[in-house]
Amino acid sequence: MENDGRRPYVPGDVETKWQDRWEAEGTNTFSTEELRDPRNTYYNLMMFPYPSAEGLHVGNIYAFTGADVHGRFQRLQGKRVFEPIGFDAFGIHSENFALKMGVHPMDLIPSNVANFTRQLRRIGGMFDWEHTVDTTDPAYYKWTQWVFLQLFKAGLAERREGSVNWCPSCKTVLANEQVIQGLCERCDTPVEQRVLPQWYFKITDYAQRLLDNLEEIDWSDTTRKAQQVGVFTTRPDTIFGATYMVLAPEHPLVPQITTPQHRDEVETYQAAMKKMDLVARQKTDKEKTGVFTGAYCRNPATGEAIPIWIADYVLMGYGTGAIMAVPGHDQRDFEFAQKFGLEIVRVVAGPGDDADTALEEAYVGPGSLVNSGQFDGMDVEKSKRKITEWLAEQGLGEPQVNYRLHDWCISRQRYWGPPIPIIYCDACGAVPVPESDLPVVLPRAEDFKPDDSGVSPLARVESWYQVDCPECGAAARRETDVSDTFLDSSWYFLRYPNTDLDDRAMDREITANWLPVDCYIGGNEHAVLHLMYARFITMALKDLGHLDFDEPFTRFRAHGLIIREGAKMSKSKGNVIVPDPIIEEFGADTFRLYLMFLGPYEEGGDYRDEGIYGPFGFLKRLWDTMHQVVSDGEAASGAPDPDVERKLHQTIQQVSEQIPELGYNTSIAAMMEYLNAVRAGGRMACRSEVEALVPMVAPFAPHMAEELWEALGHGGSVFDGANWPSFDPAKTVDETVTVAVQVNGKVRGTIEGPAGMDQNAAEALARATDNVNRHLEGASVRRVIWVQDKLLNFVVG
RNA sequence: GCGAAAGUGGCGGAAUUGGUAGACGCGCCAGAUUUAGGAUCUGGUGGCCAAAGGCCGUGGGGGUUCGAGUCCCCCCUUUCGCACCA
């Protein structure tokens, strides 16, 4: 079927027309009054991008399109969908890029944001441009600072010593991302640790709640697992085998317990450790090092005196920074004990072992206890609880849960971030900036390069940091560190519906109407930190009375990754696709459809350049078919073909069920299959057969859907009201079925019959089939398996 | 090393509770049409055998079953997290 001179499909014209109309009519934006309307709300969130100088890349578009498809689908169900987007523009990325290009970030970011905005409009997302957010805008970070102050007042922000990465060659503080295998990413110099006072958020106070709540939220399993704060169990069962103790080198007890004759050695070791960065130190394959402190302690179980060592393989940041070493049953302890000639005792006997079987390496398998006093012979698993109880009774310790979660250090000795709103006064100490004085505006410093002072470049802007103490009025000094970008993004979703307000961070009524977020879609790379921080801030703000809910995201789904030529798209691999020319040639609708068709949305897909012709052809055929129906007028108004109608209802059912589950690729395939069936053999479609395709394709190809909806004579937007088609379950049922006939499990033919026929009827049909008969000849049928409307299997002997 | 997920045509990927493996699309082949085409349309397309038909086929090897991509055991590979977490 060809176009026959009907209207050709020119994507650019259609898309410009509808983008302009949506904007002129405010189709996707909410007024403050509309935000106060609590009816039928749906908050559709996607992770806001960092506006790079390169512009939007395919990965961004993939993420936003998938989320937008979800939002548009909800809208077609009659929901009032709020779908905001913004810019996460503070942070080291922008700062480094600005340094490299010799442009000030305050000049760079606005042009990047403008470019992103242009591109985002072009892909046809349902974004509410009246409620956008830019984290570098003082009108936004005023409230980021407000969040800090709330936590500070609640005692959840605390200043204490912490170590930072320091490159002695570049003479600058490095972010963790800039440390590559223990070396500075720029000059390959080994990175050292410097201890500086820093601000921490006490997220560990919320560890149990962060863990418990995971039960209640609808998140994909993999993300939920990634959030597991990491509860671990110790090995109380092996305590009788503890033959020495190890402290982390930086453990505070070390100076107190070290005996004079070991002091030099210990201090030398500590100094060496201090220089080594954590990444290098934590390499598993590195040979273990350590020194003896000269001190002894008692094994609580055996009462024996055992030596205390310090060693690099014990980390201060984890647990208590001290371990009872059980070389018999822990490989790390075993290696250490062997190297330094410490005693190795077996306390677990595996199959075939007895109490004296020598150990070649640490034994970590199952077995029963030996050399363990009254617990000898007990099964390892069982003994864990028993020994814990016994130790508790003796007052020697109690069961404790440890979390693999550290407090959140939010200080950055950098320029490009929101200043931390604290003022230091000699008399009053650390004083919070009064809320009425917010925002503390980041001054424009022409020289924002980090230097060898080890503090933020803001410490060079004297006119800015010199202030009077808000409490006593004496000369005081601002905090010159800025806060972590993750703080900006830990609450942005709370601000979106509230950007109309400039006198408070959020309005109770509006917030209650829209939050928590109904659906959040984003990348897996943020499945741990960003989501954890956002959940923590939400919980803290709830406890402080600012919110009425605990969990910010009711449902979270991570999308997959787009691969091209066997690798993730990156500039260094040279496999990046620039979206603009593709949208220019095929249109945003085709590009959206293609990206969603590549593979399962939650798994990503393999981008092949020629693949776009498939979805492009589909949209063109859909366009031609709809215009043919329109131009045929009366002729196309007849009743649908019964077979086509059945398939239509099946397709509507399939697509309606799959889209909310993010089954985009299979939904698109179902629509293609249906259109193929409608047009099979060049037949002419009638209107009732194809009209429902328009709202169904609308989430993927919104511009074309609008255009076709209008061409079909409907007034207004296809997205106004609940235009999603419904299906009649009775009409999805096939009248005739094809049943596979097997002999001994191998397909030997098929039979056609009325749906619901009984086994006898099916057998009769099957026995009338030549090929089936041939296989049944001379054999005795021992059994017949009958699966209604599906399969008939003769089991012959 | 630990944890998680996944291995299906030339390629991306489909397959309710175990029930005709390969939907849909790309690519490829043949044909039609066009002055010619990146275009459009029709048909074909897992491998092997000349074939009605048959045999083999979902990473490899075992098993359960009338029947296994799907369930069980062992192994291999890839990807992604976490990495001396006691």
Side-chain angles (χ1 to χ4, degrees), chain A residues 313-354:
Chain A
Y313 77 102
V314 173
L315 306 173
M316 192 59 219
Y318 186 71
T320 55
I323 62 159
M324 296 294 284
V326 184
H329 306 281
D330 181 290
Q331 189 58 27
R332 296 157 300 191
D333 296 342
F334 184 87
E335 287 167 21
F336 191 81
Q338 249 189 349
K339 181 168 172 187
F340 295 102
L342 295 156
E343 195 187 357
I344 300 173
V345 174
R346 174 186 282 276
V347 290
V348 178
D353 294 330
D354 63 33

CSV table of all heavy atoms in Angstrom, one decimal, chain A residues 313-354:
chain,number,residue,atom,x,y,z
A,313,TYR,N,45.7,-4.0,57.7
A,313,TYR,CA,44.5,-4.7,57.1
A,313,TYR,C,43.2,-4.5,58.0
A,313,TYR,O,42.1,-4.9,57.6
A,313,TYR,CB,44.7,-6.1,56.8
A,313,TYR,CG,44.7,-7.1,58.0
A,313,TYR,CD1,43.6,-7.9,58.3
A,313,TYR,CD2,45.9,-7.3,58.8
A,313,TYR,CE1,43.6,-8.8,59.3
A,313,TYR,CE2,45.9,-8.2,59.8
A,313,TYR,CZ,44.8,-8.9,60.1
A,313,TYR,OH,44.8,-9.8,61.1
A,314,VAL,N,43.4,-3.8,59.1
A,314,VAL,CA,42.2,-3.5,59.9
A,314,VAL,C,41.9,-2.0,59.7
A,314,VAL,O,42.8,-1.2,59.8
A,314,VAL,CB,42.5,-3.8,61.4
A,314,VAL,CG1,41.3,-3.3,62.3
A,314,VAL,CG2,42.7,-5.3,61.6
A,315,LEU,N,40.6,-1.7,59.4
A,315,LEU,CA,40.2,-0.4,59.1
A,315,LEU,C,39.6,0.3,60.2
A,315,LEU,O,38.6,-0.2,60.8
A,315,LEU,CB,39.3,-0.4,57.9
A,315,LEU,CG,39.8,-1.2,56.7
A,315,LEU,CD1,38.7,-1.4,55.6
A,315,LEU,CD2,41.0,-0.5,56.1
A,316,MET,N,40.0,1.6,60.5
A,316,MET,CA,39.4,2.3,61.5
A,316,MET,C,37.9,2.7,61.2
A,316,MET,O,37.1,2.7,62.1
A,316,MET,CB,40.2,3.6,61.7
A,316,MET,CG,39.8,4.4,63.0
A,316,MET,SD,40.1,3.4,64.5
A,316,MET,CE,38.7,3.8,65.4
A,317,GLY,N,37.7,2.8,59.9
A,317,GLY,CA,36.3,3.3,59.6
A,317,GLY,C,35.3,2.2,59.7
A,317,GLY,O,34.1,2.5,59.5
A,318,TYR,N,35.7,1.0,60.0
A,318,TYR,CA,34.7,0.0,60.0
A,318,TYR,C,34.6,-0.7,61.4
A,318,TYR,O,35.6,-0.9,62.0
A,318,TYR,CB,35.0,-1.1,59.0
A,318,TYR,CG,33.9,-2.1,58.9
A,318,TYR,CD1,32.7,-1.7,58.3
A,318,TYR,CD2,34.0,-3.4,59.5
A,318,TYR,CE1,31.6,-2.6,58.3
A,318,TYR,CE2,32.9,-4.2,59.4
A,318,TYR,CZ,31.7,-3.9,58.9
A,318,TYR,OH,30.7,-4.7,58.8
A,319,GLY,N,33.4,-0.9,61.9
A,319,GLY,CA,33.2,-1.5,63.2
A,319,GLY,C,33.8,-0.6,64.2
A,319,GLY,O,33.7,0.6,64.3
A,320,THR,N,34.7,-1.3,65.1
A,320,THR,CA,35.3,-0.6,66.1
A,320,THR,C,36.8,-0.3,65.8
A,320,THR,O,37.5,0.3,66.6
A,320,THR,CB,35.2,-1.4,67.4
A,320,THR,OG1,35.8,-2.7,67.2
A,320,THR,CG2,33.8,-1.5,67.9
A,321,GLY,N,37.2,-0.7,64.7
A,321,GLY,CA,38.6,-0.5,64.3
A,321,GLY,C,39.5,-1.5,65.1
A,321,GLY,O,40.7,-1.2,65.2
A,322,ALA,N,39.0,-2.5,65.6
A,322,ALA,CA,39.8,-3.5,66.4
A,322,ALA,C,39.2,-4.9,66.2
A,322,ALA,O,38.0,-5.0,66.0
A,322,ALA,CB,39.7,-3.1,67.9
A,323,ILE,N,40.0,-5.9,66.1
A,323,ILE,CA,39.5,-7.2,65.9
A,323,ILE,C,40.2,-8.2,66.9
A,323,ILE,O,41.4,-8.0,67.3
A,323,ILE,CB,39.7,-7.7,64.5
A,323,ILE,CG1,41.2,-7.8,64.1
A,323,ILE,CG2,39.0,-6.9,63.5
A,323,ILE,CD1,41.5,-8.7,62.9
A,324,MET,N,39.5,-9.3,67.2
A,324,MET,CA,40.2,-10.4,67.8
A,324,MET,C,40.6,-11.3,66.6
A,324,MET,O,39.7,-11.7,65.8
A,324,MET,CB,39.2,-11.2,68.6
A,324,MET,CG,38.7,-10.4,69.8
A,324,MET,SD,40.0,-10.1,71.0
A,324,MET,CE,40.2,-11.7,71.8
A,325,ALA,N,41.8,-11.6,66.4
A,325,ALA,CA,42.3,-12.3,65.2
A,325,ALA,C,42.2,-13.8,65.5
A,325,ALA,O,42.7,-14.3,66.5
A,325,ALA,CB,43.7,-11.9,64.9
A,326,VAL,N,41.5,-14.5,64.5
A,326,VAL,CA,41.4,-16.0,64.6
A,326,VAL,C,42.0,-16.6,63.4
A,326,VAL,O,41.4,-16.9,62.4
A,326,VAL,CB,39.9,-16.4,64.7
A,326,VAL,CG1,39.7,-17.9,64.9
A,326,VAL,CG2,39.2,-15.6,65.8
A,327,PRO,N,43.4,-16.8,63.5
A,327,PRO,CA,44.1,-17.2,62.3
A,327,PRO,C,43.7,-18.5,61.7
A,327,PRO,O,43.8,-18.8,60.6
A,327,PRO,CB,45.6,-17.2,62.7
A,327,PRO,CG,45.5,-17.2,64.2
A,327,PRO,CD,44.2,-16.6,64.6
A,328,GLY,N,43.1,-19.4,62.6
A,328,GLY,CA,42.7,-20.7,62.1
A,328,GLY,C,41.6,-20.6,61.2
A,328,GLY,O,41.4,-21.6,60.3
A,329,HIS,N,40.8,-19.6,61.3
A,329,HIS,CA,39.6,-19.6,60.5
A,329,HIS,C,39.2,-18.3,59.8
A,329,HIS,O,38.1,-18.0,59.5
A,329,HIS,CB,38.4,-20.1,61.4
A,329,HIS,CG,38.7,-21.4,62.1
A,329,HIS,ND1,38.6,-22.6,61.4
A,329,HIS,CD2,39.2,-21.7,63.3
A,329,HIS,CE1,39.0,-23.5,62.2
A,329,HIS,NE2,39.4,-23.0,63.3
A,330,ASP,N,40.3,-17.5,59.6
A,330,ASP,CA,40.1,-16.3,58.7
A,330,ASP,C,41.4,-16.2,57.9
A,330,ASP,O,42.5,-16.1,58.5
A,330,ASP,CB,39.9,-15.1,59.6
A,330,ASP,CG,39.7,-13.8,58.8
A,330,ASP,OD1,40.7,-13.4,58.2
A,330,ASP,OD2,38.6,-13.3,58.8
A,331,GLN,N,41.2,-16.1,56.6
A,331,GLN,CA,42.4,-16.2,55.8
A,331,GLN,C,43.4,-15.0,56.0
A,331,GLN,O,44.6,-15.1,56.0
A,331,GLN,CB,42.0,-16.3,54.3
A,331,GLN,CG,43.1,-16.6,53.3
A,331,GLN,CD,43.8,-17.9,53.6
A,331,GLN,OE1,43.3,-18.8,54.2
A,331,GLN,NE2,45.1,-17.9,53.3
A,332,ARG,N,42.8,-13.8,56.2
A,332,ARG,CA,43.6,-12.6,56.4
A,332,ARG,C,44.4,-12.8,57.7
A,332,ARG,O,45.6,-12.5,57.7
A,332,ARG,CB,42.7,-11.4,56.5
A,332,ARG,CG,42.0,-11.1,55.3
A,332,ARG,CD,40.8,-10.3,55.5
A,332,ARG,NE,39.9,-10.9,56.5
A,332,ARG,CZ,38.7,-10.5,56.8
A,332,ARG,NH1,38.2,-9.5,56.2
A,332,ARG,NH2,37.9,-11.2,57.6
A,333,ASP,N,43.8,-13.2,58.8
A,333,ASP,CA,44.5,-13.4,60.0
A,333,ASP,C,45.5,-14.5,59.9
A,333,ASP,O,46.6,-14.5,60.4
A,333,ASP,CB,43.5,-13.9,61.1
A,333,ASP,CG,42.5,-12.7,61.4
A,333,ASP,OD1,42.7,-11.6,61.1
A,333,ASP,OD2,41.4,-13.1,62.0
A,334,PHE,N,45.2,-15.6,59.1
A,334,PHE,CA,46.1,-16.7,58.9
A,334,PHE,C,47.4,-16.2,58.2
A,334,PHE,O,48.5,-16.5,58.7
A,334,PHE,CB,45.4,-17.7,58.0
A,334,PHE,CG,46.2,-19.0,57.8
A,334,PHE,CD1,46.2,-20.0,58.7
A,334,PHE,CD2,47.1,-19.1,56.7
A,334,PHE,CE1,46.9,-21.2,58.6
A,334,PHE,CE2,47.9,-20.2,56.5
A,334,PHE,CZ,47.8,-21.3,57.5
A,335,GLU,N,47.2,-15.4,57.2
A,335,GLU,CA,48.4,-14.9,56.5
A,335,GLU,C,49.3,-14.0,57.4
A,335,GLU,O,50.5,-14.1,57.4
A,335,GLU,CB,48.0,-14.0,55.3
A,335,GLU,CG,47.5,-14.8,54.1
A,335,GLU,CD,46.8,-14.0,53.1
A,335,GLU,OE1,47.1,-12.7,53.0
A,335,GLU,OE2,46.0,-14.5,52.3
A,336,PHE,N,48.6,-13.2,58.2
A,336,PHE,CA,49.3,-12.3,59.1
A,336,PHE,C,50.1,-13.2,60.2
A,336,PHE,O,51.2,-12.9,60.4
A,336,PHE,CB,48.3,-11.4,59.7
A,336,PHE,CG,48.9,-10.3,60.5
A,336,PHE,CD1,49.4,-9.1,59.9
A,336,PHE,CD2,49.0,-10.3,61.9
A,336,PHE,CE1,49.9,-8.1,60.6
A,336,PHE,CE2,49.6,-9.3,62.6
A,336,PHE,CZ,50.1,-8.1,61.9
A,337,ALA,N,49.4,-14.1,60.7
A,337,ALA,CA,50.0,-15.0,61.8
A,337,ALA,C,51.2,-15.7,61.3
A,337,ALA,O,52.2,-15.9,61.9
A,337,ALA,CB,48.9,-15.9,62.4
A,338,GLN,N,51.0,-16.2,60.0
A,338,GLN,CA,52.2,-17.0,59.4
A,338,GLN,C,53.4,-16.1,59.2
A,338,GLN,O,54.5,-16.4,59.6
A,338,GLN,CB,51.7,-17.5,58.1
A,338,GLN,CG,51.6,-19.0,58.1
A,338,GLN,CD,51.4,-19.6,56.7
A,338,GLN,OE1,51.1,-18.8,55.7
A,338,GLN,NE2,51.5,-20.9,56.6
A,339,LYS,N,53.1,-14.9,58.7
A,339,LYS,CA,54.2,-14.0,58.5
A,339,LYS,C,55.0,-13.6,59.7
A,339,LYS,O,56.2,-13.4,59.8
A,339,LYS,CB,53.7,-12.7,57.8
A,339,LYS,CG,54.8,-11.7,57.4
A,339,LYS,CD,54.3,-10.6,56.5
A,339,LYS,CE,55.4,-9.6,56.3
A,339,LYS,NZ,54.9,-8.4,55.5
A,340,PHE,N,54.2,-13.4,60.8
A,340,PHE,CA,54.9,-12.9,62.1
A,340,PHE,C,55.0,-14.0,63.1
A,340,PHE,O,55.3,-13.7,64.3
A,340,PHE,CB,54.1,-11.7,62.6
A,340,PHE,CG,54.2,-10.5,61.7
A,340,PHE,CD1,53.1,-10.2,60.9
A,340,PHE,CD2,55.3,-9.7,61.6
A,340,PHE,CE1,53.2,-9.1,60.0
A,340,PHE,CE2,55.4,-8.7,60.7
A,340,PHE,CZ,54.3,-8.3,59.9
A,341,GLY,N,54.8,-15.2,62.7
A,341,GLY,CA,55.0,-16.3,63.7
A,341,GLY,C,54.1,-16.3,64.9
A,341,GLY,O,54.5,-16.7,66.0
A,342,LEU,N,52.9,-16.0,64.7
A,342,LEU,CA,51.9,-16.0,65.8
A,342,LEU,C,51.2,-17.4,65.8
A,342,LEU,O,51.1,-18.1,64.8
A,342,LEU,CB,50.9,-14.9,65.6
A,342,LEU,CG,51.5,-13.5,65.7
A,342,LEU,CD1,50.7,-12.4,65.0
A,342,LEU,CD2,51.7,-13.1,67.2
A,343,GLU,N,50.7,-17.7,67.0
A,343,GLU,CA,50.1,-19.0,67.2
A,343,GLU,C,48.8,-19.2,66.4
A,343,GLU,O,48.0,-18.3,66.3
A,343,GLU,CB,49.7,-19.2,68.7
A,343,GLU,CG,49.4,-20.6,69.1
A,343,GLU,CD,48.9,-20.7,70.5
A,343,GLU,OE1,48.9,-19.6,71.2
A,343,GLU,OE2,48.6,-21.8,71.0
A,344,ILE,N,48.6,-20.4,65.8
A,344,ILE,CA,47.4,-20.7,65.0
A,344,ILE,C,46.8,-21.9,65.7
A,344,ILE,O,47.4,-22.9,65.8
A,344,ILE,CB,47.8,-21.0,63.6
A,344,ILE,CG1,48.5,-19.8,62.9
A,344,ILE,CG2,46.5,-21.4,62.8
A,344,ILE,CD1,49.0,-20.1,61.5
A,345,VAL,N,45.5,-21.7,66.1
A,345,VAL,CA,44.8,-22.8,66.8
A,345,VAL,C,43.6,-23.1,66.0
A,345,VAL,O,42.8,-22.3,65.6
A,345,VAL,CB,44.4,-22.3,68.3
A,345,VAL,CG1,43.5,-23.4,68.9
A,345,VAL,CG2,45.6,-22.0,69.1
A,346,ARG,N,43.3,-24.4,65.9
A,346,ARG,CA,42.1,-24.9,65.2
A,346,ARG,C,41.0,-25.0,66.3
A,346,ARG,O,41.1,-25.6,67.3
A,346,ARG,CB,42.4,-26.3,64.6
A,346,ARG,CG,41.1,-26.9,64.1
A,346,ARG,CD,41.3,-28.3,63.6
A,346,ARG,NE,42.0,-28.4,62.3
A,346,ARG,CZ,41.4,-28.4,61.1
A,346,ARG,NH1,40.1,-28.2,61.1
A,346,ARG,NH2,42.1,-28.5,60.0
A,347,VAL,N,39.8,-24.3,66.0
A,347,VAL,CA,38.7,-24.5,66.8
A,347,VAL,C,37.5,-25.0,66.1
A,347,VAL,O,36.4,-25.3,66.7
A,347,VAL,CB,38.3,-23.2,67.5
A,347,VAL,CG1,39.3,-22.8,68.6
A,347,VAL,CG2,38.1,-22.0,66.6
A,348,VAL,N,37.6,-25.2,64.8
A,348,VAL,CA,36.5,-25.8,64.0
A,348,VAL,C,37.1,-27.0,63.3
A,348,VAL,O,38.1,-26.9,62.6
A,348,VAL,CB,35.8,-24.9,63.0
A,348,VAL,CG1,34.7,-25.6,62.2
A,348,VAL,CG2,35.3,-23.6,63.7
A,349,ALA,N,36.4,-28.2,63.5
A,349,ALA,CA,36.9,-29.4,62.8
A,349,ALA,C,35.9,-29.7,61.6
A,349,ALA,O,34.7,-29.8,61.9
A,349,ALA,CB,36.9,-30.6,63.7
A,350,GLY,N,36.4,-29.7,60.4
A,350,GLY,CA,35.6,-30.1,59.3
A,350,GLY,C,35.5,-31.6,59.2
A,350,GLY,O,36.0,-32.3,60.1
A,351,PRO,N,34.8,-32.1,58.2
A,351,PRO,CA,34.7,-33.6,58.1
A,351,PRO,C,36.1,-34.2,58.0
A,351,PRO,O,37.0,-33.7,57.3
A,351,PRO,CB,34.0,-33.8,56.8
A,351,PRO,CG,33.4,-32.4,56.4
A,351,PRO,CD,34.2,-31.4,57.1
A,352,GLY,N,36.3,-35.2,58.8
A,352,GLY,CA,37.6,-35.9,58.7
A,352,GLY,C,38.7,-35.3,59.5
A,352,GLY,O,39.8,-35.8,59.6
A,353,ASP,N,38.5,-34.1,60.2
A,353,ASP,CA,39.5,-33.5,61.0
A,353,ASP,C,39.3,-33.8,62.4
A,353,ASP,O,38.2,-34.1,62.9
A,353,ASP,CB,39.3,-31.9,60.9
A,353,ASP,CG,39.6,-31.4,59.5
A,353,ASP,OD1,40.4,-32.0,58.8
A,353,ASP,OD2,39.0,-30.4,59.1
A,354,ASP,N,40.4,-33.8,63.2
A,354,ASP,CA,40.2,-33.8,64.7
A,354,ASP,C,40.8,-32.5,65.2
A,354,ASP,O,41.4,-31.7,64.5
A,354,ASP,CB,40.6,-35.1,65.3
A,354,ASP,CG,42.1,-35.3,65.1
A,354,ASP,OD1,42.9,-34.2,65.1
A,354,ASP,OD2,42.6,-36.4,65.0
